[in-house]
Amino acid sequence: MKKKYKKLSVLWLGFITLLSIAAPFIANEKPFFFDSSELKTGYTDYRQQRLDGKNNSGFFALIPYSSGVADAENSGPHSPFEKNYYHNSQGKKSVIPLRFHHWMGTDAIGSDVAAGVVFGLRHSLFIAVTAMVIALIIALVMGIMSGYYSMYGVRISWSTILFFVFLVWAIWFYGYHIFSNEWRMFFSGNSSFYFLLKILFIIIILTSIILVLKKISDRISFLRKEINISPDRWITATTQLFISVPQLILIITLSVFFQPSAFKIAVIFGLLMWTDLSRVIRAEVLKMKQEGFIESCIASGLSTSQIVFRHIIPNLKTVVRPLFLFGLASVILTESGLSFLGLGMGPDTVTLGSLLAQAKENMDAWWLMLFPGVFLFVTILSLFNLGNQNNLCGN
Amino acid sequence: MNTSPTKKLALYILSGFAVVLTSFFIAVQMPGDALDNLLLRQEKVSVSSSDYEIKKIEMAHRMGIDKPLFYFRLSSLAETGYEIYFATENKKDNYSNLLRKYGNSKEVYLFARKCQYADEVLDALNKKYNLSAIDKFSGNLQFIQKNSAATNMDSVWTMIEKDHSLTDFRSLTLILKQSWEKLSQQPHSYRAYTPAIAFSADNRFNDWFFGGPLSQGLIHFDLGTSFFTGEKITSLLKNKIAWSLGFSLTAIFIAFIIGIPLAAWIVYKKNKNLDKFIRLFAATGYAMPVYLVGVILLFLFSNPDLLNIFPSSGVKPIGLNDNVSIAGKLWASIPYLILPLICYTFSLLAFVVSTTGDLLRGQMLLPYIVTARAKGLDDKTIVYHHALKNVLPPLISLLANIFPAIIGGSVIIETLFSIPGMGNEIVRACLSRNFPLLSAIILISGFATIVMYALVDIAVYRLDPRIKSSAA
């Protein structure tokens, strides 16, 4: 019984992934190919010509509409059961053939809901996967560091700390601060690369000076004193800082400062979602250290990187997988909530959340609520199902 | 985690400080037209007036926003914070380019100000007469401002002086030239390339925290004024916090009061179908985000076409008499509160029921339950009196984890049902770039979260004797 549900979830997720990868080929208002010489006079558009029955050679996508593109003839939420109209070349209003019907209805400006759902899923999945990959990388670094070095910490001398502080300061100052105008020009695309050479030159000279200074400071006895830094404590504190402001509020605020695009939102999510993962990874690494195989690895002379990459990370798979799936679900939900509030990607990007927000505006348009809602619900349910069953095996 | 109370306290203080800093860095942001708005509203100065830029700078000085941000700042020796006095991005760029070449900040600043003065004179002239010579000179001035850091200026001065059509501008040119000579006689370009730390006790953080021209300061619970309406933010938020907090605490209360006994009852019954139903309920609660639940509820119960039982937005009937007693007010708003409360409670309840059930089932396998059974106790006593007590500490620490999610959910629910709470306000503040309000909300919700964590820690410490003994 349970296996069946699991299989269904995997099938659904695979279906959605395919759908979102192939979205431009599934929902597109342009035909895949047509001979432009065949565009007859009096028509602006191949679809118009096709609708008029003048030409049948073009090959259209499954959903012959793009998301967010207005269809003025069928604007105002338009039910899937209503007839769709178009104006033919004589200016007469006539019914669209079934091939061009809006199967999931239209929204207020007349854009196709089916296309909106397909592209909404595409945005959601892209953001979720990118964000969770970023979060996973951060969490692996943080969690393994704090777990692995939990007991004894790292011994660092004062001269090394000074060296790093000065290096960071120098790189910030000479690499960014005094050339900030040039960097701005560089990113807006109208500047030479000359200043990069300048920066490189200065940084190389400075690094060598600081290295010499470090050599000298290593001789000084009080700078050679070592202190014990525990990454565990620092990382735990950082995690605490990250969870002290509610996540959605932080994301909303950040989305004000960065004009949000899909990638920027994904990065913001990734930078905020790592805390849970890192806590679990830390606990798991601590547990592993007690099992003794890491000690035997150290005893047999493996380097730290070998231990981490060959022995710790493969063993983390079972605890990370459910959390990763839950994380995907939570990013999808939060991102949809963000665009539900109108704070996500710009107003002309159709997402599941923005479709639901339109359903709120037009209470009699059930199709605006039903289709995005069902797609969202089933996706989250299958992610939850997959994550949860892995968890239940452990219990 | 078995950290000692002092370490925990230090962590709380640290995160409180982080929240304050985050809030501060949002509070000092300004939308590009904030000063223009203020000038227009407070002093009735319009953009077209001739001394507009000067008025703007005066205003910025009066408000204290030209001060450095923090007690210290990393910069170069040459930078002394003059760049704040230049209104446009372009002028700032010119200034910093000059600074990088010559490094003597005061002279560079004076020269740049003189250029600006010349600009203003030309603007005033331009409004009176429309001469080609003015255009020509202003073109020259633009060139000087833009390229003074890169080109050889001597040829530029001689060119302007020799031009007969520009004789009227001799004195202006002389002022600029003298200023330029002063600037270029003693260049200290090394200053621009030397990193330095600048300290200043009089800064914006100080003003924001201990009181300054903009507000009484955070320690007097004054969070400044809204840019657009000029209202005090504390008075603006006073009623809204009550709504948000009331809703979320009520939802938590309902979910725990219903959820825990329900879960215990389900564990006690050991009915397979019931278990399955609860698992389904939990999955639904997880997969149905609050906005979906809200839209569905509105669609079902607040739809003129279907059932029009509950009002769709607001918290009280329009035109409710003000001198009704509190109970009367509450009675009148009950229909308005039901849908939002269902929204708040739905996923929370599912979560509490499923988690309590899982925890209880985990407890039922432990040896002390076997002992209780061997003593001859019945299942009811075991579940309700023995297992439930041991489940309480982890359940309460769960509260700390869901509280931030509830605050996040309140943003959506309040926007959906137009409840005049903080969540509604934060969305409005974001859309209108009202940064003081935004920072205040972040401060409040951050502190609410930290206080919640602390309360939960104290409660768990009190309830669980094991933690008490291990910490001591």
Side-chain angles (χ1 to χ4, degrees), chain A residues 38-92:
Chain A
E38 282 182 44
L39 201 64
K40 297 215 164 56
T41 47
Y43 293 100
T44 50
D45 178 344
Y46 193 82
R47 191 176 59 192
Q48 188 78 24
Q49 190 175 330
R50 171 79 176 263
L51 284 173
D52 245 10
K54 298 285 186 206
N55 198 319
N56 283 320
S57 65
F59 182 67
F60 278 88
L62 191 65
I63 301 165
Y65 296 97
S66 294
S67 80
V69 177
D71 180 0
E73 247 66 72
N74 303 305
S75 72
H78 213 80
S79 161
F81 298 130
E82 283 176 60
K83 277 176 180 155
N84 296 157
Y85 296 98
Y86 74 102
H87 285 275
N88 62 10
S89 55
Q90 279 89 43
K92 253 202 223 153

Side-chain angles (χ1 to χ4, degrees), chain A residues 301-360:
Chain A
L302 291 189
S303 70
T304 311
S305 69
Q306 274 173 326
I307 295 173
V308 167
F309 285 106
R310 285 196 202 154
H311 296 273
I312 291 182
I313 288 181
N315 275 314
L316 285 174
K317 227 186 276 170
T318 44
V319 283
V320 163
R321 196 187 294 144
L323 268 180
F324 188 80
L325 293 170
F326 285 143
L328 285 181
S330 119
V331 172
I332 291 175
L333 287 180
T334 318
E335 186 272 326
S336 298
L338 213 59
S339 37
F340 181 81
L341 294 173
L343 296 166
M345 284 176 284
D348 27 281
T349 319
V350 180
T351 60
L352 296 179
S354 73
L355 284 172
L356 283 172
Q358 282 206 28
K360 183 188 71 179

Side-chain angles (χ1 to χ4, degrees), chain B residues 12-186:
Chain B
Y12 285 130
I13 291 171
L14 192 67
S15 39
F17 191 64
V19 168
V20 166
L21 271 187
T22 319
S23 167
F24 165 69
F25 279 109
I26 289 159
V28 292
Q29 305 294 328
M30 282 194 130
D33 54 351
L35 273 182
D36 304 82
N37 271 334
L38 278 175
L39 272 176
L40 195 64
R41 203 179 61 235
Q42 288 186 357
E43 311 200 352
K44 309 274 181 290
V45 183
S46 68
V47 187
S48 53
S49 71
S50 57
D51 53 351
Y52 186 70
E53 291 297 320
I54 297 170
K55 278 267 165 63
K56 207 168 168 178
I57 288 162
E58 278 173 2
M59 179 113 190
H61 186 68
R62 213 164 43 244
M63 287 167 67
I65 54 180
D66 52 354
K67 289 176 190 170
L69 267 189
F70 205 64
Y71 289 102
F72 62 89
R73 73 169 198 162
L74 301 172
S75 61
S76 65
L77 267 181
E79 283 167 85
T80 33
Y82 284 126
E83 69 272 5
I84 299 162
Y85 294 104
F86 299 105
T88 59
E89 209 57 32
N90 235 339
K91 283 189 172 136
K92 258 181 216 171
D93 279 4
N94 300 336
Y95 170 73
S96 57
N97 281 337
L98 267 177
L99 202 60
R100 190 134 34 94
K101 190 167 180 195
Y102 294 104
N104 34 11
S105 48
K106 195 170 181 193
E107 281 77 15
V108 172
Y109 171 67
L110 287 175
F111 174 69
R113 281 316 297 254
K114 266 167 196 154
C115 284
Q116 209 162 341
Y117 165 72
D119 256 350
E120 281 150 14
V121 169
L122 281 181
D123 266 1
L125 281 177
N126 223 342
K127 267 171 203 147
K128 272 187 199 162
Y129 323 99
N130 198 3
L131 294 175
S132 60
I134 297 175
D135 277 354
K136 198 171 180 184
F137 187 72
S138 78
N140 277 323
L141 192 61
Q142 293 291 330
F143 178 81
I144 290 169
Q145 291 194 31
K146 204 155 199 172
N147 302 312
S148 47
T151 45
N152 182 14
M153 291 296 288
D154 293 334
S155 59
V156 179
W157 301 126
T158 47
M159 193 195 78
I160 295 175
E161 274 162 6
K162 273 180 187 164
D163 198 329
H164 290 295
S165 60
L166 297 180
T167 41
D168 294 342
F169 300 105
R170 279 269 159 79
S171 55
L172 212 52
T173 317
L174 200 66
I175 293 173
L176 286 180
K177 192 186 168 188
Q178 277 170 357
S179 173
W180 169 259
E181 274 162 358
K182 217 183 249 174
L183 162 71
S184 54
Q185 265 161 18
Q186 286 179 319

Side-chain angles (χ1 to χ4, degrees), chain A residues 131-145:
Chain A
M132 284 318 287
V133 167
I134 294 171
L136 184 63
I137 291 169
I138 299 174
L140 277 176
V141 173
M142 294 292 208
I144 291 176
M145 241 173 47

